[in-house]
Amino acid sequence: MSRIKPELPEIKVEEHSPLIKVMLELIAYQQFEIEILQQEILKLKGETTKPDVKPSKMDDDSTNNGNGSSDKKPKKPRRKKTKKLKIHHSRNIQPEHIPEGSVFKGYKPVVVQDIIFQVSNTCYRLAQYQTPDGSYVSGQLPTELQGKHFDRTLIAYILHQYHHQHV
């Protein structure tokens, strides 16, 4: 038995009665349901189904008010992640050379995290001095810590866990 999909005749909008509107909505709903059921049958048979492709949001005017701003919430300012860390050791580091007449202006804290199978955080307080000419000199971190916030023991532990323990 051959199934032929009947063609709906074109009905002008001015000829739509409430009954015709309901019938057209019912037909559209049934076509949608048939499509879902066909996809479910394909899935159960293990055949490829129609991919679920979401529409692009690039051209969506609702996300852009025309003035370059979006409806998203504004980002909160970033918090300092080392602010609540417990500091276990603190070291004051002086500059190697302090010009004569320089004025001490305080310390710039640099927190370096390490692990000794017990937590051990060290705050290096780099002494800062203002020279008579207005420039500043400050203490420097040890060379092995330059540009780092994690000590070599913690870095070695993480690398070992990654490469040897597959963590």
Side-chain angles (χ1 to χ4, degrees):
M1 179 176 168
S2 174
R3 294 185 185 177
I4 300 173
K5 182 178 175 183
E7 291 292 324
L8 291 174
E10 188 66 37
I11 303 172
K12 296 179 183 171
V13 176
E14 55 271 357
E15 294 177 1
H16 284 196
S17 67
L19 179 62
I20 298 283
K21 288 180 182 176
V22 169
M23 295 300 283
L24 289 173
E25 287 178 9
L26 182 61
I27 290 170
Y29 174 75
Q30 287 176 338
Q31 287 174 338
F32 176 73
E33 286 292 315
I34 289 169
E35 178 70 26
I36 290 174
L37 291 172
Q38 287 173 340
Q39 291 299 315
E40 185 68 24
I41 290 169
L42 287 174
K43 189 189 301 181
L44 291 172
K45 286 182 174 179
E47 298 177 12
T48 57
T49 59
K50 183 178 172 184
D52 184 25
V53 179
K54 306 278 189 252
S56 172
K57 294 184 179 181
M58 289 182 65
D59 298 330
D60 191 11
D61 290 338
S62 65
T63 59
N64 194 350
N65 297 333
N67 58 2
S69 66
S70 65
D71 293 335
K72 294 181 181 178
K73 293 180 183 177
K75 289 186 178 180
K76 295 179 182 176
R78 294 186 69 173
R79 65 178 177 88
K80 295 209 178 230
K81 293 177 176 61
T82 59
K83 186 176 183 179
K84 294 182 180 179
L85 278 180
K86 179 179 178 184
I87 304 298
H88 299 91
H89 309 283
S90 186
R91 296 182 185 162
N92 296 338
I93 300 178
Q94 299 292 329
E96 291 181 18
H97 174 70
I98 302 171
E100 198 64 38
S102 298
V103 179
F104 178 71
K105 290 293 188 175
Y107 292 98
K108 179 176 92 174
V110 177
V111 177
V112 176
Q113 299 178 42
D114 193 7
I115 189 169
I116 309 174
F117 291 103
Q118 67 182 34
V119 181
S120 176
N121 300 312
T122 304
C123 179
Y124 291 91
R125 296 171 19 135
L126 308 178
Q128 295 184 317
Y129 291 86
Q130 184 175 14
T131 62
D133 66 349
S135 63
Y136 283 86
V137 292
S138 64
Q140 298 295 315
L141 285 174
T143 55
E144 66 269 7
L145 295 177
Q146 293 288 327
K148 297 180 181 175
H149 292 278
F150 301 103
D151 206 346
R152 62 179 172 248
T153 312
L154 177 59
I155 293 171
Y157 176 74
I158 292 170
L159 290 173
H160 175 77
Q161 290 293 309
Y162 180 80
H163 290 290
H164 297 287
Q165 305 302 324
H166 305 290
V167 174

